[in-house]
Amino acid sequence: MKEKDQDRSIFKEILGWLVYIAILLAAVYVLITYVGQRTEVSGHSMEPTLQHGDNLIVDKISYRFREPERYEIIVFPYQYKENTYYIKRIIGLPGETVEIIEGSVYINGEKLKEDYTATEINDVGIVSEKITLGGDEYFVLGDDRDKSEDSRMADVGNVKRSYIYGKAWFLLSPFDHMGFIKK
């Protein structure tokens, strides 16, 4: 009898561990799919805010409850290359007009105050004239305007709301810069 009890005990222990692992995997899946995901910055277009090689957490849940806001840093897919995502800052909101005059961004005719960029715009791209954003479109720019491929470029253009993957939320590494990403 002791042998049967011992076999049942081992079976219960193994079954307990399998259930625990299944629950853990399900929780990880839900977190990665709906809440947040780690990503790495590739390139220099968001300097000085984000550096090449920075690891960050993308918040994928906030925009299910509210609309993106100006100055937030978002992640969205590049439409011409699979599994390629861009990280840019929201500049123009749905319904606004955006224009670039002498290296500065104007929203609805007013100059945008920007203290996060060290470079002005030398290449206006497709924004040589006013652009009016649709009801579900956002105009995005990188912080380093000379090194950024963003809404000024025809292959990126305005970003539709449905394409926004999430917002850059927390900088994981390098550890000396770890913390929440501010607008």
Side-chain angles (χ1 to χ4, degrees):
M1 282 301 224
K2 280 190 172 187
E3 205 172 294
K4 266 189 177 178
D5 289 341
Q6 204 173 23
D7 288 346
R8 283 186 193 154
S9 178
I10 290 171
F11 178 73
K12 281 184 178 180
E13 184 74 22
I14 290 171
L15 186 61
W17 275 103
L18 290 174
V19 168
Y20 175 75
I21 290 169
I23 291 170
L24 186 63
L25 289 174
V28 168
Y29 173 78
V30 167
L31 282 172
I32 289 172
T33 304
Y34 300 106
V35 179
Q37 186 169 339
R38 187 198 67 80
T39 191
E40 184 175 332
V41 176
S42 177
H44 303 279
S45 70
M46 286 303 295
E47 290 179 357
T49 307
L50 299 172
Q51 310 293 318
H52 175 75
D54 283 356
N55 283 285
L56 51 95
I57 298 290
V58 177
D59 168 6
K60 295 166 50 175
I61 199 166
S62 290
Y63 294 153
R64 294 181 190 272
F65 303 105
R66 68 171 183 84
E67 294 301 312
E69 298 174 2
R70 186 180 336 275
Y71 304 119
E72 287 182 330
I73 299 173
I74 62 167
V75 177
F76 60 96
Y78 177 59
Q79 61 186 336
Y80 297 111
K81 190 172 182 187
E82 202 169 321
N83 295 321
T84 301
Y85 293 87
Y86 279 4
I87 300 173
K88 305 294 176 198
R89 187 180 298 275
I90 293 176
I91 300 299
L93 301 173
E96 293 181 334
T97 59
V98 179
E99 61 185 320
I100 300 171
I101 302 170
E102 297 178 4
S104 297
V105 178
Y106 287 78
I107 304 293
N108 296 331
E110 290 188 34
K111 187 175 180 178
L112 189 67
K113 294 178 183 173
E114 300 180 284
D115 59 356
Y116 45 80
T117 181
T119 60
E120 63 179 35
I121 299 171
N122 294 315
D123 179 9
V124 297
I126 62 172
V127 194
S128 57
E129 296 188 19
K130 282 184 190 178
I131 291 180
T132 301
L133 300 170
D136 68 338
E137 294 180 328
Y138 293 83
F139 187 86
V140 298
L141 293 173
D143 288 357
D144 187 341
R145 306 294 162 74
D146 285 337
K147 296 178 182 162
S148 181
E149 189 169 324
D150 46 41
S151 287
R152 297 171 294 156
M153 312 311 165
D155 63 330
V156 176
N158 301 330
V159 178
K160 293 200 176 292
R161 171 69 174 87
S162 61
Y163 294 158
I164 297 175
Y165 184 71
K167 73 173 191 166
W169 177 66
F170 191 84
L171 184 62
L172 289 171
S173 68
F175 297 118
D176 58 332
H177 291 97
M178 183 185 291
F180 291 99
I181 297 171
K182 298 176 181 110
K183 286 200 268 183

